[in-house]
Structures are given as structure tokens and as C-alpha cells.
């Protein structure tokens, strides 16, 4: 046997005896802030423990608008990632276009139907088949409040919406930025969502933003919600347009801004900044929306892949399977500031805000006050969500729009987007 032949034979033996090749999973997301990255690294680590490699496809921008635009061009050109952070009605929209793959075999094997809360399943399934996996539940209607500032300025912590609006000029007079806002449509929508929960209550909120009932959309209560938004919008500073939600949180941490109205990914940021939660910076249910829990479920949707390789498909299933393991659920959510999606996770070591969210979530389920966020496309299609957000942003930044005119715009925009 000559040397060359021996070499080829050895290579052949190696190939035949080698274990099944691992593959790469490419995951698109917009989790680029401190707490988000910490949480995501838990998922990445667990994937890499299976010998698959993680290819990060991160596109900056809270709320995910830019990420979803990039995703569209990748998918349309026939090269989608393994999975992408896609939520709510958007999952149905992608599935309807034929881009998503069925996860039914893993779902059956791992009993997802028994593990997931009832209201989550229809969001993850398209025509009865699982095409996405949820990773957590975030609460939207929070108010983050720097109590040191309130104490120093001798201002009482507000207990209802009118008190909240009343403290804004006092905070400003005391030399603080009253609201650390982020002027982006998704964050403007979150502000209006909390206000409308407070003004409308859970039932009317659902009629307006889930059923899109024109009478409620044009009601005096909705006009009042816009009036409250106008009052708050007067305290949104010019720099808000260059500020990310993470930078807003940092202003609270640095005792520069008094409040932030944002979902509980803020808790993830506070933890990453080594803050003791609910001490200096408190998490308070948005005044007037106590007892209501506006939910946002983060989930990964899985794409039909170009590759026919079995390793690639196995790696995709491995990723889907890891997301619902108790270990991932515990470690990911402890860093993200969100609730685990499966109820077998011990929440004792969670921070006080997440613990409160957990109690409130269970109570809201009993009271039928668990409502989907419209600001993050859990309540309506992405088309309707964008139409609503546009009306809200225009209203906030164009002070000449009256409350009555805003309501007419809201009704018309929703009708056109349906
Ligand atoms: C949301 C996402 C959250 C959070 C937020 C800010 O769309 O659901 O998990 O990360 O964006 O980036």
C-alpha cells in the first residue's frame, strides 16, 4: 500500500466512525441590551453544550422593528435563519406565508400541550400545528420609579393616574427629568397602552384593542385616554428621540430621571446593573391599572430551511427543545426579568418585581384581567398594531392634534389596516 492510499483509507475510517456531526443554529433577535444579552447567553450556552454552534443574528432596536425588516429580506431571498424572535399575531402571519416549519414531533414527544398555559397554545400554533416555542411572559403595565428622587424632592409616590400627572411638574421644578421616555413608536404605544388600561379598564381595553369595536374606539373614555396622554406628553423631553429604553433605565439608576413607563425587561437591565430591585428603583403597577396584567410573550418561530441535511434539522429541533426545559426557563427568566412560561419552575430566587408579577399574573387569570398587549402585537395583527402606534406617535409629537381628532384618526387607521 502506498502512503497516499493509506492516508485515504485512514480518512475514510475516520468518517465512518465519527459521531453524527453537530450543526449550527442561527438565531435572529433584537436582544442587545445588558439584561437581554445575559438572558440570551443562557440559551446560547445550553445550545453549545449539545455541540451545536450558535450563530448570533442580532439586530439592534428595542421592540424589534428593524430586526423584523431584516428578517423579511433574508426570508424572501430564500435564506432564513434557523429561528427568529417572532411574537403574537406575527407568528400567524409568517406561517400563513408558508415560511415556518412544523414542530409537532418534538411537541408531541415533549408534551408541550400539557406544559403550556391554555391561552398561549393558539398563539404558537398555526392550523393546529406548533410553529413557535414561547420562552417567557413579560408584563407591560409597569411604572419604574426612583424613590430616592421622590424622597429628596418630598413628593409622594402617586397612587392614581391624576396624581401621577400632577407630580410631573413638581419633579421638573425639583430639577429632575420627570419621564425617561424613548421616542419610538413601540415605546409611545406602551405609554398609551398603560394609560388606556388605567382609563378604560380591562373589559373596555379588550373591546377596543382586541375586538376593535368602533364604538369603544370612538367613545368618550377613549377621548379621555388621549387627554391623559396629552398631559403626560408635555413632559417628554427632546432628547427622548435619541434615547434607547436601556438608556432611559440608566437615567433612573443615575438619579437623573424619576420614572420610566416600560415592560419588565427593565428588571433585566436593573439586575445587570447590580441594582437591588424594588428598593431605590421601585416597580409599581401603572397607576389605575392595578390588578390588570398586560402580557407580552417572547417566542421563537422556526423556519423551513433550505438545507436538507439531517444535522441541520436535528439542531433546529434541539434548539426548540432546550427552550422549554426547566433549567433554561429558570436561568433565562431570572436574568430577563420575565416569568417562565412553564409553571414547574421555582420562582423563589426571582427578584421581588418578578415575584410580584407572578402573583399578579395568577390573580389576573382568576379575575379575567389578563389582557394581551397591543403595543407588542399580541392583541391584533402587526398591520393594525403599526397603524395604532402611528396615530399615537403623531398625537404625542404634534401638539396641535386634539383628543377628539386623535380618536377619529385611530378609528380610521384601524379600519384601513384590517
Ligand atoms: C420586546 C421584547 C422584549 C424586550 C423588548 C425591548 O419586543 O418582547 O423581550 O426585549 O422588546 O427590547
Amino acid at each position: 500500500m502506498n502512503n497516499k492510499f493509506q492516508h485515504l483509507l485512514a480518512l475514510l475510517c475516520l468518517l465512518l466512525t465519527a459521531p453524527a456531526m453537530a450543526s449550527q443554529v442561527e438565531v435572529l433577535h433584537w436582544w442587545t441590551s445588558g439584561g437581554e444579552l445575559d438572558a440570551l447567553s443562557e440559551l446560547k450556552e445550553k445550545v453549545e453544550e449539545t455541540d451545536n454552534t450558535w450563530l448570533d443574528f442580532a439586530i439592534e432596536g428595542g421592540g424589534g422593528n428593524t430586526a423584523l425588516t431584516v428578517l423579511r429580506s433574508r426570508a424572501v431571498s430564500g435564506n432564513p435563519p434557523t429561528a427568529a424572535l417572532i411574537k403574537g399575531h406575527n407568528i400567524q402571519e409568517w406561517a400563513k406565508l408558508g415560511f415556518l416549519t412544523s414542530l409537532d414531533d418534538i411537541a408531541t414527544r415533549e408534551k408541550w400541550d400539557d406544559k403550556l398555559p391554555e391561552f398561549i397554545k393558539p398563539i404558537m400554533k398555526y392550523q393546529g400545528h406548533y410553529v413557535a416555542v414561547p420562552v417567557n411572559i413579560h408584563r407591560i403595565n409597569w411604572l419604574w420609579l426612583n424613590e430616592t428622587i421622590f424622597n429628596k424632592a418630598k413628593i409622594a409616590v402617586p397612587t392614581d393616574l391624576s396624581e401621577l400627572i400632577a407630580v410631573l411638574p413638581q419633579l421638573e421644578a425639583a430639577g429632575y427629568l420627570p419621564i425617561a421616555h424613548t421616542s419610538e413608536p413601540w415605546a409611545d404605544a406602551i405609554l398609551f397602552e398603560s394609560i388606556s388600561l388605567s382609563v378604560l379598564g380591562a373589559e373596555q381595553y379588550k373591546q377596543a384593542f382586541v375586538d376593535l369595536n368602533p364604538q369603544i374606539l370612538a367613545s368618550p373614555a377613549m377621548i379621555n385616554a388621549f387627554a391623559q396622554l396629552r398631559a403626560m406628553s408635555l413632559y417628554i423631553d427632546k432628547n427622548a428621540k435619541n434615547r434607547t429604553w436601556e438608556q432611559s433605565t440608566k437615567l433612573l439608576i443615575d438619579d437623573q430621571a424619576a420614572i420610566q413607563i416600560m415592560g419588565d425587561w427593565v428588571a433585566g437591565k436593573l439586575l445587570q446593573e447590580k441594582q437591588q430591585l424594588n428598593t431605590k428603583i421601585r416597580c409599581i403597577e401603572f397607576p389605575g391599572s392595578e390588578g390588570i396584567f398586560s402580557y407580552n410573550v417572547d417566542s421563537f418561530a422556526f423556519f423551513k430551511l433550505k438545507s436538507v441535511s439531517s444535522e441541520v434539522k436535528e439542531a433546529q429541533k434541539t434548539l426548540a427543545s432546550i427552550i422549554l426545559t426547566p433549567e433554561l426557563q429558570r436561568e433565562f427568566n431570572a436574568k430577563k426579568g420575565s416569568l417562565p412560561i412553564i409553571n414547574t419552575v421555582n420562582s423563589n430566587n426571582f427578584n421581588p418585581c418578578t415575584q410580584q408579577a407572578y402573583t399578579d399574573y395568577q390573580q389576573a387569570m382568576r379575575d379575567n384581567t389578563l389582557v394581551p398587549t397591543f403595543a407588542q402585537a399580541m392583541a391584533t395583527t402587526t398591520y393594525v398594531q403599526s397603524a395604532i402606534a402611528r396615530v399615537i406617535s403623531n398625537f404625542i409629537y404634534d401638539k396641535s392634534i386634539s383628543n377628539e381628532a386623535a380618536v377619529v384618526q385611530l378609528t380610521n387607521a384601524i379600519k384601513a389596516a384590517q
Side-chain angles (χ1 to χ4, degrees):
M1 243 193 285
N2 69 23
N3 263 356
K4 203 168 162 193
F5 185 69
Q6 268 180 336
H7 188 70
L8 271 176
L9 198 65
L11 195 68
L12 191 67
C13 288
L14 192 72
L15 284 176
L16 290 175
T17 52
M21 291 250 303
S23 183
Q24 171 180 277
V25 294
E26 185 183 24
V27 183
L28 177 135
H29 62 91
W30 55 92
W31 285 338
T32 53
S33 77
E36 293 171 336
L37 281 171
D38 284 353
L40 194 69
S41 68
E42 294 293 335
L43 180 58
K44 181 178 169 202
E45 254 171 48
K46 301 238 168 351
V47 165
E48 299 204 319
E49 278 165 18
T50 64
D51 284 342
N52 289 296
T53 49
W54 175 278
L55 181 60
D56 207 46
F57 187 178
I59 310 281
E60 269 192 53
N65 284 352
T66 322
L68 292 170
T69 309
V70 175
L71 176 64
R72 269 191 290 278
S73 60
R74 272 283 301 267
V76 167
S77 65
N79 183 26
T82 314
L85 179 57
I86 300 182
K87 307 182 299 177
H89 284 254
N90 207 7
I91 298 173
Q92 307 298 314
E93 291 160 20
W94 278 99
K96 201 167 166 190
L97 292 171
F99 282 108
L100 303 185
T101 190
S102 166
L103 302 169
D104 281 352
D105 53 347
I106 334 162
T108 312
R109 194 172 67 220
E110 299 184 356
K111 301 193 169 51
W112 290 4
D113 269 348
D114 299 340
K115 286 185 184 163
L116 296 177
E118 220 36 66
F119 72 98
I120 300 287
K121 293 180 215 169
I123 311 174
M124 301 301 138
K125 290 182 183 181
Y126 177 66
Q127 296 183 336
H129 305 288
Y130 277 103
V131 290
V133 193
V135 64
N136 65 2
I137 300 181
H138 269 301
R139 185 186 202 172
I140 299 294
N141 57 319
W142 281 118
L143 174 75
W144 305 89
L145 180 146
N146 179 319
E147 202 167 44
T148 305
I149 290 184
F150 277 75
N151 288 341
K152 272 199 192 148
K154 299 197 172 41
I155 298 172
V157 169
T159 58
D160 61 26
L161 185 52
S162 59
E163 281 182 18
L164 174 62
I165 292 170
V167 299
L168 300 175
Q170 298 170 22
L171 289 162
E172 196 170 56
Y176 298 101
L177 180 65
I179 313 175
H181 188 66
T182 300
S183 291
E184 288 176 23
W186 68 277
D188 295 338
I190 284 180
L191 171 61
F192 188 60
E193 174 162 320
S194 283
I195 293 175
S196 48
L197 285 169
S198 175
V199 174
L200 302 172
E203 256 333 288
Q204 285 199 5
Y205 170 92
K206 282 189 264 185
Q207 288 168 356
F209 296 111
V210 181
D211 306 339
L212 307 177
N213 177 328
Q215 261 134 37
I216 305 295
L217 287 168
S219 64
M222 191 61 83
I223 295 177
N224 184 21
F226 274 99
Q228 307 307 315
L229 178 62
R230 172 62 72 231
M232 292 199 72
S233 72
L234 302 179
Y235 295 90
I236 293 178
D237 65 316
K238 286 199 184 65
N239 294 334
K241 63 176 182 305
N242 304 316
R243 189 185 290 138
T244 64
W245 70 265
E246 186 184 17
Q247 288 166 337
S248 295
T249 308
K250 194 74 173 67
L251 290 178
L252 260 70
I253 297 173
D254 295 343
D255 297 330
Q256 290 181 36
I259 63 164
Q260 182 179 15
I261 295 148
M262 187 49 67
D264 46 17
W265 40 90
V266 166
K269 174 67 186 165
L270 293 171
L271 290 169
Q272 182 248 335
E273 291 276 351
K274 307 271 176 286
Q275 296 289 307
Q276 287 282 340
L277 267 75
N278 220 12
T279 52
K280 176 175 112 171
I281 300 192
R282 290 183 53 195
C283 46
I284 296 176
E285 291 175 273
F286 185 84
S289 75
E290 292 85 358
I292 305 177
F293 189 111
S294 157
Y295 66 83
N296 172 50
V297 175
D298 284 320
S299 51
F300 290 96
F302 286 71
F303 283 84
K304 284 182 186 155
L305 300 174
K306 209 162 59 181
S307 167
V308 287
S309 129
S310 59
E311 286 88 21
V312 170
K313 297 212 162 116
E314 258 332 291
Q316 191 176 42
K317 288 182 190 170
T318 303
L319 170 64
S321 163
I322 289 172
I323 292 172
L324 284 185
T325 56
E327 298 72 40
L328 186 277
Q329 286 285 316
R330 190 180 52 243
E331 284 152 30
F332 174 94
N333 286 303
K335 294 188 169 160
K336 187 74 168 74
S338 45
L339 301 176
I341 197 79
I342 55 175
N343 60 12
T344 49
V345 176
N346 184 344
S347 57
N348 287 349
N349 67 340
F350 282 172
N351 71 76
C353 297
T354 304
Q355 288 195 16
Q356 189 193 327
Y358 188 56
T359 313
D360 293 347
Y361 166 67
Q362 289 175 315
Q363 188 61 42
M365 260 204 277
R366 286 192 287 271
D367 296 346
N368 203 17
T369 53
L370 187 65
V371 302
T373 164
F374 76 74
Q376 294 280 300
M378 305 293 304
T380 65
T381 64
T382 52
Y383 316 109
V384 172
Q385 175 212 13
S386 313
I388 299 174
R390 258 196 309 277
V391 172
I392 295 167
S393 296
N394 285 344
F395 177 80
I396 293 179
Y397 303 104
D398 179 349
K399 308 269 186 288
S400 72
I401 302 176
S402 70
N403 310 326
E404 290 75 10
V407 160
V408 173
Q409 286 176 11
L410 183 70
T411 314
N412 291 342
I414 291 179
K415 213 193 290 166
Q418 271 178 288

